[in-house]
Amino acid sequence: MTDGIRVMWMRGGTSKGGYFLKSDLPDDVAARDALLLSIMGSPDIRQIDGMGGADPLTSKVAVVAPSDRPGVDVDYHFLQVYVDRPLVSDAQNCGNILAGVGPFAIERGLVEASDADTTVTIHMVNSGQTAVATVATPGGEVAYHGDAEIDGVPGAAAAIPIVFKETAGSTCGALLPAGNVVDAVAGHEVTLIDNGMPVVVVRASDMGIEGSESREELEGNAGLRERLEALRLACGPLMNLGDVADKTVPKMTMVSAPAAGGAVSTRTFIPHRCHASIGVFGAVSVGTACLMPGSVAAALSVIPDGNPKTLRIEHPSGATAIVATLDERGEVASAAILRTARKLMDGRVFAHHVCGA
């Protein structure tokens, strides 16, 4: 390990992090986590002695391996490396980092590229879900340049459409883990939902905000953060997540009427920092709540006609579009999203104890 560890640093959607082959990391979980904390420079709010970017969105890791599951190409294990705590968590998926898994798998030779587009079927270890990503591979090589734009990322890149399968209840055991469309918790009406990401949906007005505030303004609102955390801790057991004090789920999404032509406006804490946008799976869960009659989000939402439905989930840096296909009962049968990714660096990274600094 004195020669460092092989890694590819990538932007995936609106996040950024290190992509490792599982075989390049220690098998022992404690040793792996200690290594990743050192690589990222955690715990330190600046992550000055590591690769992390002093933000949860840039302190992420994808661990990828060939899959032995029928019909699946690779296994993807997402790890959230905390910025200011010595903690690595796999309690959730990350649909943004997922966007880079297909290109990474092709670049590392785990999936053979086709001449135009290459389909990569991905098993998400964190939740047992399956995603199918389509990667542009003209001439048998991954193309990162293109004309697809996503809010929260400057410029354009090659489109990576991703279809999700079997997302309902992937973490909590049921789409509505408490069994109700609306629950009264800690004096607030909430919708507890898991369609790929456990989310507590609550009205922004009920939390004392308008829902149009900036990320910085919300993070500086100590009273809001205290109310959100008290509500999150109360909702954890109801969502079959137990004590969530040291967990990154559930996410807390405050909803209000759309302000820019979307389906709904959101402000999300993940869980203690206000998200610059909204996570992919979080957007799917919130979008599903918007389509659920009687939910906290439904009355505030503007839903387009037709099936499938494209819902733009507004957030501080724009909007995330999901495409929801409804079954004959009017329930969400599948969800797809458009993401982009870009390779930033391919080489070797050195941990503190490896380089002896």
Side-chain angles (χ1 to χ4, degrees):
M1 293 176 63
T2 56
D3 292 329
I5 300 103
R6 185 168 58 157
V7 66
M8 185 179 293
W9 227 260
M10 303 184 76
R11 175 187 62 77
T14 56
S15 294
K16 183 166 59 177
Y19 289 68
F20 296 85
L21 290 176
K22 183 179 180 181
S23 57
D24 288 333
L25 293 173
D27 292 330
D28 179 76
V29 172
R32 179 203 68 191
D33 290 355
L35 178 66
L36 294 176
L37 285 165
S38 181
I39 287 171
M40 287 295 187
S42 298
D44 172 36
I45 59 172
R46 296 189 301 158
Q47 291 184 316
I48 193 65
D49 199 33
M51 297 290 290
D55 189 292
L57 299 182
T58 58
S59 189
K60 298 185 174 187
V61 166
V63 181
V64 182
S67 182
D68 58 6
R69 293 170 175 79
V72 175
D73 296 309
V74 295
D75 293 338
Y76 154 55
H77 194 181
F78 170 69
L79 300 174
Q80 177 72 60
V81 182
Y82 278 60
V83 174
D84 56 353
R85 299 169 65 187
L87 181 63
V88 177
S89 173
D90 68 351
Q92 66 182 71
N93 277 325
C94 179
N96 278 302
I97 291 295
L98 170 66
V101 171
F104 175 77
I106 296 168
E107 294 257 22
R108 285 288 188 260
L110 303 184
V111 175
E112 184 177 356
S114 301
D115 190 35
D117 293 320
T118 302
T119 298
V120 182
T121 303
I122 303 162
H123 170 75
M124 291 176 279
V125 173
N126 303 66
S127 63
Q129 298 165 251
T130 301
V132 180
T134 301
V135 182
T137 52
E141 295 185 357
V142 176
Y144 295 100
H145 297 290
D147 57 8
E149 299 181 7
I150 60 174
D151 287 338
V153 177
I160 302 177
I162 304 173
V163 177
F164 301 113
K165 299 180 178 180
E166 302 167 354
T167 56
S170 56
T171 299
C172 300
L175 178 66
L176 297 171
N180 307 304
V181 175
V182 175
D183 287 280
V185 184
H188 299 287
E189 286 191 337
V190 296
T191 293
L192 309 179
I193 190 165
D194 172 19
N195 199 13
M197 177 65 69
V199 177
V200 176
V201 183
V202 59
R203 298 181 191 92
S205 59
D206 288 351
M207 300 307 294
I209 68 169
E210 293 183 0
S212 58
E213 293 86 348
S214 70
R215 178 190 191 192
E216 292 75 18
E217 184 177 352
L218 294 178
E219 284 200 347
N221 187 335
L224 170 65
R225 286 166 38 214
E226 290 174 3
R227 292 192 296 274
L228 280 175
E229 182 62 3
L231 179 58
R232 191 178 79 88
L233 294 176
C235 289
L238 299 176
M239 300 182 76
N240 301 319
L241 297 170
D243 182 357
V244 298
D246 292 323
K247 297 180 180 179
T248 58
V249 290
K251 308 302 185 189
M252 305 298 294
T253 296
M254 297 171 285
V255 293
S256 56
V264 72
S265 179
T266 65
R267 294 296 185 268
T268 300
F269 275 69
I270 58 167
H272 306 125
R273 299 281 300 273
C274 186
H275 204 315
S277 54
I278 189 171
V280 169
F281 291 108
V284 172
S285 289
V286 172
T288 302
C290 292
L291 294 167
M292 193 174 289
S295 78
V296 167
L300 297 167
S301 302
V302 177
I303 305 300
D305 295 330
N307 187 25
K309 299 179 182 293
T310 299
L311 305 181
R312 295 180 68 253
I313 310 300
E314 298 177 4
H315 52 69
S317 54
T320 296
I322 68 166
V323 180
T325 300
L326 308 184
D327 61 19
E328 62 278 2
R329 296 171 297 180
E331 299 175 355
V332 176
S334 67
I337 199 159
L338 178 66
R339 296 281 86 185
T340 66
R342 187 166 80 87
K343 179 170 66 172
L344 303 174
M345 183 279 293
D346 191 2
R348 309 189 80 83
V349 68
F350 297 85
H352 187 272
H353 68 276
V354 173
C355 64

